Amino acid sequence: MGEPAAPAGEPYNLRSDGRPGIDGYLGDFRRGPAVFTLYHLGADHPGRAERINAYLLDVDDGAGPRECCRFTDDPDDVPEWSSTWLGDDWCRWLLKQCRVLIEDPDTS
């Protein structure tokens, strides 16, 4: 899918945290009417070999981007789901799709 499409008259989409949608963009996927977009937020200590990377998953069902989840690539870390998504049946599937994008980002 490449770079996120910009709304009419806008230079780019915004993430749920207000940053430009091109910052850290890894790709997106759909389920039902919702579009989920994954962003790489960076590493805890970039100079360290065993750095831990953080990610943001946004969801947009037509009302604009909202945070769905934040997680890291630390296997002992527990994803932080927004209250709307906490315990939702889609959570495991969403994380699986995120892992696919992390391994093969859609940034071409």
Side-chain angles (χ1 to χ4, degrees):
M1 295 198 177
E3 195 171 296
E10 299 283 329
Y12 42 69
N13 288 331
L14 296 177
R15 303 184 327 200
S16 63
D17 61 5
R19 303 253 341 208
I22 57 174
D23 289 357
Y25 177 78
L26 294 178
D28 52 61
F29 55 91
R30 291 181 177 272
R31 182 160 183 178
V35 177
F36 297 88
T37 307
L38 182 64
Y39 302 98
H40 179 249
L41 298 178
D44 62 345
H45 298 285
R48 204 172 66 182
E50 66 278 1
R51 68 181 184 239
I52 297 171
N53 293 293
Y55 300 92
L56 166 66
L57 180 64
D58 277 352
V59 59
D60 189 342
D61 59 4
R66 293 178 317 282
E67 185 173 315
C68 180
C69 180
R70 286 180 186 252
F71 62 97
T72 70
D73 53 13
D74 181 342
D76 296 327
D77 211 359
V78 176
E80 297 176 21
W81 295 95
S82 71
S83 59
T84 307
W85 288 92
L86 190 60
D88 191 279
D89 291 340
W90 286 12
C91 291
R92 293 182 99 185
W93 182 86
L94 292 171
L95 286 176
K96 185 175 179 181
Q97 301 311 304
C98 289
R99 300 284 178 222
V100 169
L101 284 175
I102 291 168
E103 291 297 318
D104 187 20
D106 186 17
T107 57
S108 55

XYZ file of all heavy atoms in Angstrom:
849
model
N 0.808 -1.187 0.000
C 0.000 0.000 0.000
C 0.854 1.255 0.000
O 0.352 2.329 -0.246
C -0.922 0.010 1.202
C -1.915 -1.091 1.172
S -3.262 -0.715 2.288
C -4.262 -2.115 1.960
N 2.100 1.148 0.361
C 3.002 2.286 0.316
C 2.703 3.328 1.368
O 2.160 3.038 2.408
N 3.057 4.572 1.063
C 2.885 5.683 1.996
C 1.407 5.967 2.206
O 0.603 5.872 1.285
C 3.593 6.895 1.417
C 3.804 7.992 2.419
C 4.708 9.056 1.848
O 5.874 8.739 1.570
O 4.232 10.190 1.669
N 1.014 6.329 3.449
C -0.397 6.599 3.703
C -0.906 7.730 2.814
O -0.196 8.692 2.552
C -0.445 7.013 5.172
C 0.933 6.952 5.698
C 1.860 6.555 4.589
N -2.132 7.599 2.355
C -2.729 8.629 1.496
C -3.072 9.855 2.323
O -3.514 9.747 3.462
C -3.987 8.083 0.835
N -2.855 11.015 1.771
C -3.162 12.269 2.469
C -4.599 12.670 2.194
O -5.083 12.545 1.082
C -2.215 13.361 2.006
N -5.304 13.161 3.228
C -6.646 13.676 2.997
C -6.574 14.917 2.099
O -5.539 15.580 2.043
C -7.151 14.055 4.383
C -6.118 13.649 5.362
C -4.897 13.235 4.603
N -7.658 15.241 1.433
C -7.691 16.389 0.530
C -7.239 17.657 1.250
O -7.725 17.968 2.333
C -9.102 16.573 -0.016
N -6.265 18.352 0.661
C -5.786 19.594 1.232
C -4.795 19.442 2.369
O -4.318 20.423 2.914
N -4.498 18.225 2.770
C -3.564 17.969 3.870
C -2.248 17.460 3.298
O -2.241 16.692 2.350
C -4.129 16.911 4.824
C -5.420 17.293 5.484
C -5.233 18.280 6.618
O -4.186 18.242 7.272
O -6.135 19.091 6.840
N -1.102 17.857 3.895
C 0.171 17.361 3.388
C 0.397 15.888 3.723
O 1.089 15.193 3.032
C 1.200 18.259 4.071
C 0.517 18.765 5.299
C -0.951 18.816 4.958
N -0.227 15.405 4.790
C -0.112 14.004 5.189
C -1.125 13.714 6.284
O -1.676 14.625 6.893
C 1.298 13.679 5.681
C 1.891 14.747 6.566
C 1.389 14.980 7.846
C 2.921 15.542 6.115
C 1.921 15.968 8.644
C 3.452 16.538 6.914
C 2.949 16.737 8.185
O 3.469 17.721 8.966
N -1.359 12.449 6.528
C -2.226 12.045 7.629
C -1.496 12.261 8.939
O -0.270 12.312 8.975
C -2.576 10.562 7.514
C -3.530 10.288 6.387
O -4.337 11.125 6.019
N -3.440 9.099 5.835
N -2.234 12.328 10.015
C -1.634 12.390 11.335
C -1.886 11.088 12.069
O -2.915 10.446 11.884
C -2.217 13.552 12.144
C -1.944 14.949 11.617
C -2.641 15.991 12.490
C -0.449 15.224 11.553
N -0.926 10.710 12.904
C -1.103 9.552 13.779
C -2.001 9.966 14.940
O -2.290 11.149 15.126
C 0.253 9.087 14.339
C 1.241 8.747 13.287
C 2.554 8.185 13.779
N 3.071 8.658 15.046
C 4.347 8.543 15.406
N 5.227 7.993 14.588
N 4.757 8.969 16.578
N -2.411 8.997 15.739
C -3.261 9.302 16.891
C -2.550 10.182 17.905
O -3.187 10.912 18.656
C -3.726 8.011 17.567
O -2.610 7.285 18.074
N -1.213 10.153 17.914
C -0.455 10.987 18.849
C -0.135 12.370 18.278
O 0.598 13.145 18.881
C 0.827 10.285 19.302
C 1.796 9.964 18.163
O 1.537 10.354 17.000
O 2.810 9.302 18.439
N -0.697 12.691 17.096
C -0.530 13.996 16.492
C 0.700 14.158 15.616
O 0.861 15.176 14.958
N 1.556 13.167 15.566
C 2.754 13.219 14.722
C 2.357 12.923 13.273
O 1.330 12.293 13.013
C 3.785 12.186 15.190
C 4.185 12.338 16.632
C 5.516 12.874 16.891
N 6.431 12.794 15.787
C 7.721 12.700 15.928
N 8.243 12.661 17.121
N 8.522 12.675 14.886
N 3.195 13.354 12.313
C 2.887 13.060 10.906
C 2.805 11.552 10.650
O 3.596 10.777 11.183
C 4.080 13.666 10.153
C 4.619 14.709 11.076
C 4.382 14.179 12.468
N 1.845 11.157 9.839
C 1.619 9.749 9.535
C 2.743 9.081 8.767
O 2.761 7.865 8.646
N 3.678 9.859 8.267
C 4.816 9.265 7.567
C 5.946 8.902 8.534
O 6.824 8.130 8.194
C 5.346 10.193 6.451
C 5.734 11.550 7.004
C 4.318 10.328 5.344
C 6.392 12.478 6.000
N 5.910 9.452 9.755
C 6.942 9.165 10.751
C 6.802 7.744 11.281
O 5.845 7.428 11.979
C 6.866 10.148 11.924
C 7.310 11.549 11.575
O 7.734 11.766 10.416
O 7.230 12.424 12.448
N 7.744 6.900 10.941
C 7.755 5.530 11.443
C 6.767 4.594 10.781
O 6.584 3.468 11.233
N 6.133 5.025 9.707
C 5.111 4.212 9.037
C 5.684 2.870 8.573
O 6.686 2.819 7.882
C 4.560 4.980 7.828
C 3.551 4.224 7.007
C 2.244 4.097 7.427
C 3.917 3.626 5.804
C 1.306 3.416 6.671
C 2.988 2.934 5.045
C 1.694 2.828 5.484
O 0.776 2.142 4.731
N 5.029 1.766 8.987
C 5.435 0.427 8.557
C 4.431 -0.217 7.612
O 4.768 -1.152 6.905
C 5.649 -0.489 9.772
C 6.807 -0.114 10.694
C 6.859 -1.071 11.875
C 8.121 -0.113 9.936
N 3.202 0.250 7.626
C 2.189 -0.321 6.752
C 0.825 -0.322 7.416
O 0.674 0.099 8.559
N -0.164 -0.814 6.669
C -1.515 -0.891 7.214
C -2.219 -2.130 6.704
O -1.768 -2.791 5.774
C -2.311 0.381 6.903
C -2.296 0.741 5.437
O -2.782 -0.071 4.629
O -1.811 1.826 5.101
N -3.322 -2.451 7.350
C -4.145 -3.600 6.982
C -5.572 -3.308 7.413
O -5.820 -2.400 8.208
C -3.610 -4.897 7.608
C -3.444 -4.852 9.104
C -4.465 -5.249 9.956
C -2.252 -4.405 9.676
C -4.313 -5.207 11.329
C -2.084 -4.365 11.042
C -3.118 -4.771 11.882
N -6.516 -4.060 6.842
C -7.940 -3.849 7.118
C -8.558 -5.078 7.775
O -8.127 -6.202 7.557
C -8.709 -3.604 5.823
C -8.409 -2.314 5.160
C -9.258 -2.155 3.888
N -9.027 -0.886 3.272
C -9.695 0.225 3.562
N -10.669 0.195 4.433
N -9.398 1.355 2.970
N -9.585 -4.795 8.543
C -10.483 -5.848 9.021
C -11.840 -5.185 9.162
O -11.992 -4.223 9.915
C -10.017 -6.439 10.347
C -10.930 -7.565 10.795
C -10.289 -8.468 11.789
N -11.198 -9.550 12.123
C -10.917 -10.528 12.943
N -9.728 -10.581 13.504
N -11.787 -11.464 13.205
N -12.801 -5.700 8.413
C -14.113 -5.065 8.391
C -13.968 -3.633 7.903
O -13.192 -3.354 7.000
N -14.672 -2.705 8.536
C -14.595 -1.308 8.104
C -13.370 -0.565 8.645
O -13.129 0.579 8.280
C -15.877 -0.698 8.689
C -16.116 -1.504 9.923
C -15.669 -2.911 9.579
N -12.603 -1.205 9.506
C -11.485 -0.537 10.172
C -10.167 -0.704 9.418
O -9.871 -1.774 8.889
C -11.335 -1.073 11.586
N -9.386 0.377 9.383
C -8.034 0.350 8.832
C -7.076 0.506 10.009
O -7.209 1.442 10.809
C -7.805 1.485 7.820
C -6.365 1.478 7.331
C -8.766 1.363 6.660
N -6.142 -0.412 10.129
C -5.140 -0.393 11.181
C -3.808 -0.001 10.577
O -3.420 -0.519 9.531
C -5.041 -1.771 11.836
C -6.301 -2.189 12.523
C -7.302 -2.853 11.834
C -6.504 -1.893 13.860
C -8.477 -3.227 12.455
C -7.687 -2.257 14.499
C -8.670 -2.923 13.792
N -3.105 0.926 11.219
C -1.821 1.413 10.721
C -0.778 1.240 11.806
O -0.996 1.626 12.959
C -1.915 2.896 10.315
O -3.017 3.050 9.405
C -0.640 3.353 9.633
N 0.365 0.670 11.416
C 1.443 0.382 12.357
C 2.596 1.357 12.164
O 3.009 1.616 11.028
C 1.940 -1.053 12.172
C 3.030 -1.500 13.136
C 2.509 -1.518 14.584
C 3.547 -2.878 12.743
N 3.120 1.870 13.286
C 4.243 2.803 13.282
C 5.350 2.304 14.207
O 5.069 1.786 15.291
C 3.800 4.190 13.773
C 2.703 4.794 12.956
C 1.375 4.707 13.358
C 2.989 5.451 11.763
C 0.355 5.265 12.602
C 1.970 6.004 10.998
C 0.663 5.910 11.427
O -0.338 6.458 10.669
N 6.584 2.486 13.761
C 7.754 2.216 14.600
C 8.047 3.506 15.355
O 8.236 4.556 14.742
C 8.941 1.815 13.723
C 10.183 1.554 14.488
N 11.276 2.384 14.414
C 10.498 0.562 15.356
C 12.220 1.899 15.196
N 11.771 0.809 15.786
N 8.057 3.448 16.685
C 8.276 4.633 17.500
C 9.741 4.842 17.847
O 10.096 5.883 18.386
C 7.444 4.558 18.789
C 5.934 4.503 18.590
C 5.238 4.390 19.935
C 5.441 5.715 17.832
N 10.573 3.861 17.563
C 11.990 3.990 17.864
C 12.445 2.975 18.893
O 11.672 2.154 19.375
N 13.719 3.078 19.215
C 14.332 2.152 20.157
C 14.593 2.848 21.481
O 14.752 4.065 21.539
C 15.639 1.618 19.578
N 14.663 2.032 22.547
C 14.903 2.607 23.861
C 16.302 3.221 23.955
O 16.469 4.311 24.460
C 14.663 1.580 24.967
C 15.584 0.371 24.887
O 16.224 0.150 23.838
O 15.672 -0.368 25.884
N 17.298 2.532 23.453
C 18.686 3.017 23.429
C 19.295 2.592 22.100
O 19.852 1.510 21.997
C 19.494 2.437 24.586
C 18.969 2.827 25.927
N 19.140 4.078 26.455
C 18.239 2.142 26.844
C 18.566 4.146 27.636
N 18.008 2.983 27.901
N 19.172 3.409 21.049
C 19.606 3.019 19.703
C 21.042 2.523 19.599
O 21.338 1.698 18.758
C 19.412 4.300 18.878
C 18.380 5.059 19.615
C 18.588 4.744 21.064
N 21.937 2.977 20.467
C 23.328 2.552 20.394
C 23.584 1.195 21.008
O 24.674 0.639 20.883
N 22.616 0.631 21.675
C 22.765 -0.651 22.368
C 22.345 -1.793 21.452
O 21.292 -1.734 20.809
C 21.875 -0.625 23.614
C 22.307 -1.554 24.701
C 21.494 -1.308 25.936
N 20.113 -1.671 25.656
C 19.139 -1.545 26.515
N 19.354 -1.017 27.686
N 17.919 -1.909 26.210
N 23.148 -2.834 21.389
C 22.861 -3.966 20.495
C 21.526 -4.631 20.827
O 20.796 -5.047 19.940
C 23.988 -4.978 20.554
N 21.182 -4.742 22.090
C 19.950 -5.428 22.480
C 18.797 -4.442 22.720
O 17.958 -4.639 23.582
C 20.174 -6.290 23.728
C 20.482 -5.535 24.999
C 21.947 -5.121 25.144
O 22.770 -5.385 24.265
O 22.260 -4.509 26.158
N 18.768 -3.391 21.908
C 17.744 -2.361 22.065
C 16.338 -2.947 21.918
O 16.128 -3.958 21.253
C 17.961 -1.245 21.062
C 17.702 -1.673 19.636
C 17.948 -0.520 18.683
N 17.595 -0.931 17.359
C 18.413 -0.936 16.339
N 19.644 -0.540 16.487
N 18.017 -1.323 15.152
N 15.402 -2.284 22.540
C 14.000 -2.691 22.482
C 13.250 -1.647 21.658
O 13.308 -0.457 21.948
C 13.397 -2.798 23.893
C 14.125 -3.891 24.682
C 11.903 -3.080 23.815
C 13.763 -3.939 26.141
N 12.567 -2.090 20.625
C 11.818 -1.206 19.744
C 10.362 -1.099 20.198
O 9.754 -2.094 20.586
C 11.863 -1.733 18.310
C 13.249 -1.650 17.739
O 13.773 -0.567 17.523
N 13.865 -2.796 17.519
N 9.824 0.105 20.114
C 8.433 0.350 20.487
C 7.605 0.603 19.227
O 8.109 1.153 18.243
C 8.339 1.549 21.422
N 6.332 0.209 19.286
C 5.422 0.331 18.147
C 4.081 0.893 18.594
O 3.647 0.693 19.730
C 5.193 -1.040 17.499
C 6.462 -1.656 17.000
C 7.202 -2.515 17.807
C 6.952 -1.365 15.731
C 8.391 -3.069 17.353
C 8.138 -1.913 15.272
C 8.854 -2.762 16.093
O 10.035 -3.299 15.642
N 3.419 1.577 17.677
C 2.089 2.130 17.884
C 1.175 1.565 16.800
O 1.508 1.629 15.618
C 2.129 3.660 17.776
C 0.794 4.397 17.636
C -0.049 4.246 18.903
C 1.027 5.870 17.322
N 0.032 1.036 17.195
C -0.984 0.578 16.255
C -2.186 1.502 16.389
O -2.787 1.602 17.467
C -1.395 -0.869 16.541
C -2.469 -1.439 15.610
C -1.955 -1.514 14.170
C -2.926 -2.805 16.089
N -2.501 2.201 15.309
C -3.677 3.072 15.260
C -4.807 2.368 14.525
O -4.564 1.491 13.686
C -3.361 4.365 14.498
C -2.685 5.421 15.349
O -2.582 5.231 16.577
O -2.266 6.443 14.775
N -6.028 2.773 14.820
C -7.204 2.274 14.120
C -8.015 3.469 13.633
O -8.114 4.480 14.329
C -8.060 1.347 15.018
C -8.545 2.062 16.270
C -9.236 0.764 14.242
N -8.552 3.353 12.424
C -9.430 4.389 11.872
C -10.617 3.702 11.214
O -10.459 2.967 10.249
C -8.671 5.238 10.851
C -9.464 6.459 10.401
O -10.701 6.485 10.588
O -8.842 7.382 9.849
N -11.798 3.946 11.771
C -13.023 3.375 11.207
C -13.875 4.468 10.572
O -15.085 4.329 10.443
C -13.809 2.602 12.265
C -14.195 3.469 13.448
O -13.918 4.688 13.431
O -14.776 2.927 14.406
N -13.202 5.568 10.193
C -13.896 6.672 9.559
C -13.987 7.903 10.444
O -14.356 8.976 9.988
N -13.650 7.755 11.716
C -13.727 8.879 12.655
C -12.353 9.474 12.952
O -12.205 10.238 13.889
C -14.384 8.419 13.949
N -11.339 9.100 12.166
C -9.984 9.581 12.403
C -9.193 8.572 13.207
O -9.760 7.676 13.829
N -7.868 8.691 13.188
C -7.027 7.707 13.869
C -7.140 7.799 15.387
O -7.182 8.883 15.958
C -5.616 8.054 13.400
C -5.677 9.489 13.035
C -7.073 9.733 12.539
N -7.227 6.626 15.995
C -7.232 6.499 17.450
C -6.243 5.404 17.820
O -6.081 4.429 17.085
C -8.624 6.153 17.960
C -9.628 7.265 17.752
C -11.035 6.904 18.205
N -11.509 5.568 17.856
C -11.954 5.185 16.655
N -11.949 6.032 15.651
N -12.394 3.977 16.455
N -5.618 5.570 18.966
C -4.666 4.553 19.412
C -5.400 3.266 19.743
O -6.404 3.268 20.453
C -3.902 5.050 20.640
C -2.824 4.083 21.075
C -1.962 4.639 22.189
O -1.542 5.803 22.106
O -1.714 3.873 23.138
N -4.873 2.172 19.212
C -5.403 0.847 19.491
C -4.501 0.147 20.504
O -4.976 -0.411 21.485
C -5.474 0.052 18.181
S -6.097 -1.611 18.327
N -3.185 0.210 20.251
C -2.255 -0.538 21.085
C -0.842 0.034 20.959
O -0.472 0.562 19.912
C -2.255 -1.997 20.628
S -1.156 -3.082 21.533
N -0.062 -0.109 22.027
C 1.379 0.141 22.011
C 2.034 -1.129 22.527
O 1.540 -1.752 23.475
C 1.767 1.314 22.903
C 1.384 2.649 22.318
C 1.793 3.793 23.241
N 1.295 5.045 22.719
C 2.063 5.970 22.166
N 3.361 5.791 22.078
N 1.534 7.079 21.694
N 3.142 -1.505 21.882
C 3.845 -2.711 22.314
C 5.307 -2.593 21.908
O 5.689 -1.683 21.179
C 3.209 -3.969 21.707
C 3.243 -4.033 20.208
C 4.238 -4.732 19.553
C 2.277 -3.383 19.442
C 4.276 -4.793 18.166
C 2.303 -3.443 18.065
C 3.311 -4.150 17.428
N 6.120 -3.501 22.417
C 7.540 -3.527 22.075
C 7.886 -4.903 21.520
O 7.065 -5.827 21.551
C 8.432 -3.253 23.301
O 8.374 -4.364 24.190
C 8.014 -1.977 24.019
N 9.134 -5.046 21.066
C 9.567 -6.355 20.585
C 10.237 -7.171 21.695
O 10.809 -8.215 21.439
C 10.465 -6.242 19.347
C 11.642 -5.322 19.538
O 11.943 -4.928 20.676
O 12.279 -4.980 18.525
N 10.128 -6.715 22.941
C 10.609 -7.474 24.091
C 9.604 -8.604 24.350
O 8.430 -8.340 24.609
C 10.699 -6.560 25.310
C 11.226 -7.259 26.546
O 11.219 -8.512 26.596
O 11.643 -6.547 27.478
N 10.045 -9.869 24.268
C 9.105 -10.980 24.446
C 8.460 -11.025 25.827
O 7.402 -11.639 26.001
C 9.951 -12.227 24.180
C 11.365 -11.789 24.296
C 11.404 -10.314 24.010
N 9.051 -10.382 26.821
C 8.480 -10.375 28.175
C 7.516 -9.211 28.395
O 6.854 -9.147 29.424
C 9.602 -10.306 29.220
C 10.482 -11.540 29.189
O 9.967 -12.638 28.887
O 11.696 -11.405 29.456
N 7.442 -8.301 27.441
C 6.587 -7.137 27.563
C 5.145 -7.499 27.217
O 4.887 -8.324 26.341
C 7.083 -6.053 26.608
C 6.813 -4.656 27.113
O 6.220 -4.520 28.203
O 7.187 -3.708 26.422
N 4.196 -6.858 27.891
C 2.767 -7.069 27.636
C 2.246 -5.873 26.847
O 2.477 -4.725 27.241
C 1.999 -7.210 28.968
C 0.506 -7.340 28.721
C 2.522 -8.390 29.759
N 1.546 -6.096 25.722
C 0.994 -4.977 24.944
C 0.063 -4.117 25.800
O -0.654 -4.629 26.666
C 0.209 -5.665 23.826
C 0.804 -7.024 23.722
C 1.237 -7.390 25.113
N 0.095 -2.811 25.559
C -0.779 -1.867 26.251
C -1.928 -1.510 25.318
O -1.777 -0.692 24.415
C -0.011 -0.602 26.637
C 1.107 -0.838 27.609
C 1.895 0.426 27.888
O 1.376 1.540 27.670
O 3.048 0.289 28.309
N -3.083 -2.132 25.529
C -4.260 -1.897 24.699
C -5.032 -0.698 25.222
O -5.132 -0.499 26.431
C -5.175 -3.124 24.694
C -4.533 -4.302 24.052
C -3.862 -5.311 24.674
C -4.478 -4.591 22.653
N -3.384 -6.201 23.738
C -3.749 -5.786 22.493
C -4.970 -3.949 21.522
C -3.510 -6.355 21.252
C -4.733 -4.509 20.277
C -4.013 -5.707 20.153
N -5.580 0.098 24.316
C -6.454 1.188 24.755
C -7.675 0.552 25.416
O -8.000 -0.616 25.167
C -6.867 2.069 23.580
O -7.771 1.387 22.755
N -8.357 1.313 26.236
C -9.492 0.752 26.982
C -10.566 0.190 26.055
O -11.242 -0.781 26.391
C -10.084 1.799 27.915
O -10.526 2.923 27.187
N -10.714 0.767 24.885
C -11.711 0.296 23.920
C -11.383 -1.097 23.405
O -12.275 -1.883 23.109
C -11.793 1.276 22.727
O -12.012 2.583 23.226
C -12.894 0.899 21.764
N -10.093 -1.418 23.302
C -9.662 -2.680 22.724
C -9.265 -3.730 23.746
O -9.112 -4.908 23.391
C -8.499 -2.428 21.757
C -8.981 -1.770 20.523
C -9.049 -0.434 20.268
C -9.528 -2.419 19.374
N -9.592 -0.212 19.033
C -9.896 -1.412 18.462
C -9.731 -3.749 19.033
C -10.449 -1.707 17.222
C -10.281 -4.036 17.799
C -10.640 -3.014 16.917
N -9.105 -3.359 24.987
C -8.663 -4.278 26.029
C -9.582 -5.498 26.110
O -10.782 -5.368 26.321
C -8.621 -3.555 27.372
C -7.956 -4.283 28.519
C -6.500 -4.595 28.201
C -8.039 -3.450 29.788
N -9.016 -6.672 25.859
C -9.775 -7.919 25.918
C -10.600 -8.232 24.679
O -11.340 -9.217 24.658
N -10.482 -7.430 23.624
C -11.252 -7.666 22.405
C -10.797 -8.956 21.723
O -9.619 -9.310 21.756
C -11.067 -6.479 21.451
C -12.046 -6.529 20.289
O -11.758 -7.272 19.322
O -13.071 -5.838 20.351
N -11.734 -9.632 21.083
C -11.429 -10.889 20.380
C -10.437 -10.699 19.235
O -9.783 -11.652 18.819
C -12.716 -11.515 19.815
C -13.641 -12.030 20.901
O -13.178 -12.268 22.037
O -14.841 -12.199 20.613
N -10.320 -9.505 18.698
C -9.418 -9.252 17.570
C -7.955 -9.084 17.994
O -7.063 -9.089 17.146
C -9.839 -7.985 16.839
C -11.070 -8.086 15.999
C -11.986 -9.103 15.979
C -11.527 -7.131 15.050
N -12.980 -8.821 15.085
C -12.719 -7.612 14.501
C -11.040 -5.908 14.616
C -13.430 -6.922 13.535
C -11.754 -5.210 13.660
C -12.931 -5.722 13.122
N -7.672 -8.881 19.276
C -6.332 -8.513 19.739
C -5.228 -9.460 19.250
O -4.201 -8.992 18.755
C -6.298 -8.401 21.256
S -7.239 -6.983 21.890
N -5.410 -10.744 19.384
C -4.374 -11.692 18.941
C -4.147 -11.579 17.436
O -3.020 -11.588 16.964
C -4.756 -13.123 19.310
C -4.753 -13.352 20.803
C -5.083 -14.758 21.109
N -3.793 -15.417 21.345
C -3.645 -16.695 21.548
N -4.690 -17.485 21.515
N -2.458 -17.199 21.776
N -5.228 -11.481 16.681
C -5.118 -11.351 15.228
C -4.391 -10.055 14.866
O -3.552 -10.039 13.968
C -6.508 -11.391 14.599
C -6.475 -11.314 13.114
C -6.318 -12.359 12.247
C -6.585 -10.133 12.300
N -6.329 -11.893 10.945
C -6.484 -10.538 10.954
C -6.756 -8.792 12.585
C -6.560 -9.631 9.900
C -6.834 -7.883 11.535
C -6.727 -8.318 10.210
N -4.721 -8.957 15.551
C -4.078 -7.674 15.275
C -2.569 -7.754 15.497
O -1.782 -7.291 14.665
C -4.676 -6.574 16.147
C -6.125 -6.195 15.839
C -6.663 -5.260 16.912
C -6.249 -5.581 14.467
N -2.145 -8.349 16.613
C -0.710 -8.466 16.890
C -0.018 -9.348 15.858
O 1.120 -9.071 15.461
C -0.472 -8.993 18.300
C -0.741 -7.990 19.415
C -0.555 -8.649 20.773
C 0.134 -6.747 19.279
N -0.700 -10.372 15.392
C -0.128 -11.239 14.352
C 0.113 -10.435 13.068
O 1.164 -10.555 12.436
C -1.062 -12.419 14.085
C -0.511 -13.425 13.129
C -1.452 -14.616 13.007
C -0.899 -15.629 12.026
N -1.798 -16.782 11.877
N -0.851 -9.601 12.688
C -0.694 -8.764 11.491
C 0.452 -7.765 11.680
O 1.200 -7.482 10.739
C -1.994 -8.016 11.186
C -3.195 -8.905 10.960
C -2.934 -10.021 9.975
O -2.529 -9.786 8.847
N -3.152 -11.247 10.409
N 0.582 -7.243 12.887
C 1.678 -6.307 13.179
C 3.030 -6.989 13.013
O 3.962 -6.406 12.442
C 1.551 -5.756 14.598
S 0.188 -4.603 14.812
N 3.150 -8.219 13.483
C 4.419 -8.955 13.368
C 4.788 -9.147 11.894
O 5.947 -9.069 11.523
C 4.344 -10.302 14.075
C 4.050 -10.213 15.544
C 5.243 -9.793 16.350
N 4.868 -9.677 17.742
C 5.265 -8.706 18.538
N 6.074 -7.775 18.093
N 4.876 -8.660 19.788
N 3.797 -9.391 11.052
C 4.045 -9.533 9.612
C 4.613 -8.229 9.054
O 5.592 -8.240 8.306
C 2.753 -9.938 8.869
C 2.928 -9.829 7.367
C 2.325 -11.349 9.267
N 4.030 -7.089 9.429
C 4.517 -5.796 8.939
C 5.899 -5.449 9.497
O 6.697 -4.807 8.814
C 3.529 -4.682 9.282
C 2.282 -4.618 8.425
C 1.330 -3.541 8.940
C 2.628 -4.363 6.968
N 6.175 -5.854 10.718
C 7.498 -5.596 11.299
C 8.561 -6.364 10.522
O 9.627 -5.830 10.218
C 7.527 -5.953 12.802
C 6.663 -4.959 13.575
C 8.956 -5.992 13.335
C 6.372 -5.363 15.004
N 8.252 -7.608 10.166
C 9.193 -8.436 9.403
C 9.329 -7.963 7.960
O 10.400 -8.063 7.380
C 8.744 -9.900 9.430
C 8.860 -10.555 10.771
C 10.297 -10.640 11.255
O 11.198 -10.954 10.450
O 10.526 -10.378 12.447
N 8.255 -7.467 7.387
C 8.255 -7.053 5.974
C 7.448 -5.757 5.827
O 6.299 -5.782 5.381
C 7.656 -8.163 5.113
C 7.772 -7.874 3.626
O 8.612 -7.045 3.226
O 6.994 -8.480 2.858
N 8.055 -4.618 6.206
C 7.319 -3.332 6.171
C 6.880 -2.965 4.748
O 7.543 -3.297 3.778
C 8.348 -2.305 6.674
C 9.446 -3.084 7.281
C 9.416 -4.456 6.679
N 5.760 -2.280 4.683
C 5.199 -1.812 3.416
C 5.618 -0.366 3.210
O 4.785 0.541 3.197
C 3.673 -1.943 3.457
C 3.039 -1.608 2.130
O 3.741 -1.593 1.111
O 1.824 -1.346 2.119
N 6.916 -0.133 3.104
C 7.428 1.231 3.032
C 7.997 1.582 1.663
O 8.693 2.575 1.519
C 8.513 1.454 4.099
O 9.548 0.483 3.919
C 7.943 1.359 5.491
N 7.684 0.779 0.643
C 8.218 1.062 -0.687
C 7.464 2.165 -1.383
O 6.402 2.526 -1.062
C 8.182 -0.203 -1.545
O 6.881 -0.722 -1.588
